[in-house]
Amino acid sequence: MAEFAALRDAVRDLVSDGATVALEGFTHLIPTAAAHEIIRQRRRDLTLARMTPDLVYDQLIGAGCARKLIFSWGGNPGVGSLHRFRDAIQRDWPRPLEIEEHSHAGMANRYVAGASGLPFAVLRGYAGTDLARVTSTIAFLDCPFTGERLAAVPALNPDVTVIHAQRADRHGNVQLWGLLGVQKEAVLAARRSLVTVEEVVGELTPLPGAIVLPHWVIDAVAVVPGGARPSYAQGYYERDNDAYAAWDAVGRDRESFSGWLDSIQAEEVSR
């Protein structure tokens, strides 16, 4: 059952060292503020799962929070590489990073299997690729009905899923709309979940294409206006394209990144 909490308290209670954590959002509603709080609390040895890792995962990796990354595509959208990610893979800085790479479809199906209480998912995919050679969580099987060769991937059940949404009502029911990814599936697959929202309203007004996550599948709701910046929240603010471009220079250089990290951690004093 959802409880309202300060972001600091929710992260402290839900995200522990060594946990598998999914911070989901597809170009939109990315839970940036929650990721920064995880950095401030210096969580370590996390397995980070995400369909499309971008700036927040670059920052978590550079801060030394991550032991492993389960992902599909990764990059700074519209700009280029994630340099903290590359540094961890190529030079083990600030620590070695294990990777488990899937396709978008593979990641989505893993969450769906987790949300459905199934041990694995079956899909038409990976045929003709080399991913199965380097990723142990991809297997192939023959359909018992048609004989068709199919790919199988295990269910993904994060210890905690973190998402950002537009609003919640006073009971903790959460509503999100616009360009969505696998937020719903990732929450339903997780053992526990944290949702940051722009605001709390008295009643959730129905909107075309909106989804509602009921309060009984959410553990904590934190009100964090602007919590998705520099990504966008439809109906509230636009994407900050300049911030994505600026991150390339910050993330590219260890000294620049260390300065950024100091500034994020210093916010702990002023909050």
Side-chain angles (χ1 to χ4, degrees):
M1 302 291 284
E3 294 185 1
F4 286 91
L7 179 59
R8 183 207 308 258
D9 296 336
V11 168
R12 181 198 63 215
D13 293 343
L14 295 175
V15 182
S16 58
D17 289 350
T20 296
V21 183
L23 294 97
E24 282 293 347
F26 194 71
T27 78
H28 174 232
L29 298 175
I30 295 171
T32 307
H36 289 175
E37 185 58 33
I38 292 171
I39 290 172
R40 289 188 196 98
Q41 296 192 17
R42 294 175 171 83
R43 292 294 181 260
R44 293 294 181 263
D45 296 318
L46 301 179
T47 294
L48 298 176
R50 179 144 175 210
M51 200 160 143
T52 52
D54 64 355
L55 269 57
V56 292
Y57 274 42
D58 208 32
Q59 294 162 357
L60 285 159
I61 291 166
C65 299
R67 177 187 66 82
K68 179 179 179 179
L69 180 64
I70 303 172
F71 74 112
S72 47
W73 176 91
N76 185 343
V79 180
S81 293
L82 297 175
H83 301 291
R84 295 302 90 224
F85 181 15
R86 290 179 65 108
D87 209 5
I89 293 294
Q90 296 173 340
R91 302 176 188 88
D92 294 340
W93 193 92
R95 58 167 297 171
L97 181 69
E98 181 183 349
I99 60 171
E100 183 179 323
E101 187 175 1
H102 282 272
S103 67
H104 283 356
M107 286 292 291
N109 276 274
R110 292 190 69 185
Y111 282 128
V112 170
S116 303
L118 296 172
F120 66 92
V122 178
L123 64 151
R124 291 187 177 94
Y126 298 111
T129 77
D130 290 330
L131 272 178
R133 293 173 53 191
V134 297
T135 301
S136 62
T137 49
I138 301 171
F140 293 93
L141 51 78
D142 295 327
C143 173
F145 303 105
T146 67
E148 181 182 2
R149 191 71 168 164
L150 297 169
V153 290
L156 181 54
N157 295 102
D159 293 310
V160 58
T161 288
V162 182
I163 66 169
H164 187 75
Q166 280 98 335
R167 59 194 184 189
D169 66 17
R170 291 169 295 182
H171 304 289
N173 301 301
V174 168
Q175 186 181 42
L176 57 161
W177 65 90
L179 180 61
L180 302 178
V182 290
Q183 292 101 316
K184 175 184 71 175
E185 292 81 0
V187 166
L188 295 178
R191 295 172 179 88
R192 306 183 78 184
S193 58
L194 162 62
V195 183
T196 58
V197 296
E198 293 293 323
E199 64 174 336
V200 175
V201 297
E203 184 176 353
L204 299 178
T205 305
L207 290 171
I211 62 173
V212 174
L213 294 171
H215 63 88
W216 60 82
V217 303
I218 298 167
D219 289 276
V221 176
V223 182
V224 187
R229 288 191 172 102
S231 73
Y232 71 101
Q234 185 168 322
Y236 291 80
Y237 45 87
E238 297 182 352
R239 187 180 192 268
D240 185 350
N241 294 317
D242 291 341
Y244 282 85
W247 180 255
D248 187 70
V250 175
R252 187 182 294 272
D253 178 73
R254 289 182 187 177
E255 185 175 348
S256 296
F257 173 77
S258 296
W260 175 88
L261 185 58
D262 288 343
S263 70
I264 287 294
Q265 290 173 333
E267 292 179 10
E268 186 173 18
V269 176
S270 60
R271 283 178 304 140

